[in-house]
């Protein structure tokens, strides 16, 4: 709430505060998304990725930045989902996102330890191997709007 107010007063930017697990945007509304130091705060990362898949257009991009799960400063009560790069990659692949870029930054230079760029694959894409299962989840999600 404070960040929303600060952004409006300081920069004239209107931000929305909402649950990342139930996004209030229409289907295929965005071309891209950035989840910067957000993924590690998710209680249900697969649900978050399902929401991203829902609100992104086909071939939409997602930029992801996460902290080092081994760093002592990462081990806080707010980081409920600290994962390693391979785990993050597998989560995104499961939900139909193709990796386009991955970087590991030098520790101590920035807060971002790992950064990724993913691309949303269409449901019928041959590389989206789990769509047969997820279509049931997706169909239920469509009923929420």
């Amino acid at each position: 709430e404070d960040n929303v107010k600060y952004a409006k007063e300081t920069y004239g930017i209107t931000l929305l505060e909402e649950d990342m697990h139930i996004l209030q945007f229409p289907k295929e509304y965005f071309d891209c998304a950035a989840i910067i130091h957000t993924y590690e705060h998710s209680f249900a990362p697969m649900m978050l990725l399902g929401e991203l898949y829902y609100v992104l257009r086909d071939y939409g991009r997602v930029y992801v930045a996460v902290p080092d799960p081994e760093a002592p400063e990462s081990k806080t009560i707010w980081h409920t989902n600290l994962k390693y790069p391979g785990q993050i990659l597998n989560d995104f692949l499961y939900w139909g996102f193709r990796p386009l870029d991955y970087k590991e930054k030098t520790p101590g230079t920035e807060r971002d330890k790992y950064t990724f760029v993913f691309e949303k694959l269409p449901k019928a894409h041959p590389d989206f191997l789990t769509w047969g299962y997820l279509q049931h989840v997706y169909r239920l999600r469509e009923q929420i709007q």
Side-chain angles (χ1 to χ4, degrees):
E1 202 172 277
D2 293 340
N3 290 334
V4 172
K5 183 179 176 185
Y6 179 81
K8 186 67 170 176
E9 291 174 354
T10 307
Y11 302 108
I13 298 171
T14 302
L15 298 178
L16 301 174
E17 179 183 355
E18 61 181 66
D19 185 339
M20 70 178 102
H21 303 97
I22 307 170
L23 299 175
Q24 301 299 311
F25 296 99
K27 182 179 176 183
E28 300 176 354
Y29 188 73
F30 294 105
D31 291 320
C32 64
I35 52 175
I36 302 168
H37 292 276
T38 304
Y39 193 68
E40 65 274 14
H41 296 275
S42 173
F43 284 108
M46 293 307 248
M47 200 168 163
L48 166 61
L49 296 182
E51 287 296 293
L52 280 173
Y53 193 87
Y54 184 80
V55 300
L56 282 173
R57 293 183 180 109
D58 288 347
Y59 300 104
R61 306 284 171 93
V62 182
Y63 175 82
V64 182
V66 296
D68 182 356
E70 292 293 324
E73 62 272 14
S74 293
K75 300 187 187 309
T76 71
I77 61 171
W78 300 283
H79 290 164
T80 58
N81 179 41
L82 288 169
K83 292 191 175 189
Y84 294 93
Q87 294 171 303
I88 294 169
L89 175 65
N90 284 332
D91 287 354
F92 275 84
L93 286 170
Y94 188 84
W95 254 107
F97 291 93
R98 171 180 28 218
L100 297 178
D101 193 20
Y102 164 74
K103 289 188 177 47
E104 181 176 340
K105 296 191 177 181
T106 305
T109 58
E110 295 181 42
R111 287 181 355 141
D112 305 345
K113 172 64 175 177
Y114 305 112
T115 59
F116 304 83
V117 177
F118 294 98
E119 177 179 61
K120 175 191 169 184
L121 298 174
K123 295 175 200 100
H125 196 284
D127 291 342
F128 190 1
L129 302 177
T130 54
W131 175 246
Y133 171 72
L134 292 174
Q135 66 185 325
H136 303 294
V137 177
Y138 197 81
R139 198 174 311 124
L140 289 171
R141 172 60 179 92
E142 286 181 314
Q143 294 173 11
I144 293 173
Q145 280 305 101

